[in-house]
Amino acid sequence: MITGNRNGLYALSTNLEMTRCVIANNVSESSAGGLVLYSSGVALIDCLVRGNSGAEYGGGIYIAYGGPVTLTGCTITENRAGNGGGIAFYELAEDSE
């Protein structure tokens, strides 16, 4: 569980797989409060991303120059940001689902 932090989780140049995770109530003054991925891929399985906020992009999840991205059985709700409250993508890999 990643909850109530200034920033939830930040990943750089890696690949993550998370199952039955909760990323909730995190806040960022820039990109996503919940999960920020740069040049990274992610597989989220049966995860909840809720109530996160970011001032700029993707309150719940922000992915830049990354991929692949696979979301299976996830709930992404009640996140907010200036752009893309739930998820925001920038330069995403072609093999994302």
Side-chain angles (χ1 to χ4, degrees):
M1 180 178 294
I2 301 168
T3 184
N5 297 296
R6 182 166 181 252
N7 292 42
L9 178 65
Y10 179 97
L12 175 63
S13 299
T14 191
N15 289 307
L16 298 175
E17 182 175 315
M18 300 171 70
T19 302
R20 293 183 299 279
C21 63
V22 175
I23 302 171
N25 304 316
N26 300 288
V27 177
S28 173
E29 294 176 6
S30 58
S31 296
L35 178 60
V36 178
L37 301 165
Y38 283 99
S39 299
S40 297
V42 66
L44 297 180
I45 303 158
D46 298 328
C47 292
L48 172 64
V49 181
R50 182 185 68 212
N52 301 286
S53 62
E56 296 176 9
Y57 301 101
I61 301 171
Y62 177 65
I63 302 167
Y65 308 107
V69 175
T70 303
L71 305 175
T72 305
C74 296
T75 300
I76 300 171
T77 186
E78 299 174 25
N79 300 285
R80 61 187 184 281
N83 295 289
I87 304 175
F89 299 103
Y90 181 78
E91 296 288 327
L92 189 61
E94 292 181 18
D95 55 352
S96 296
E97 316 175 5

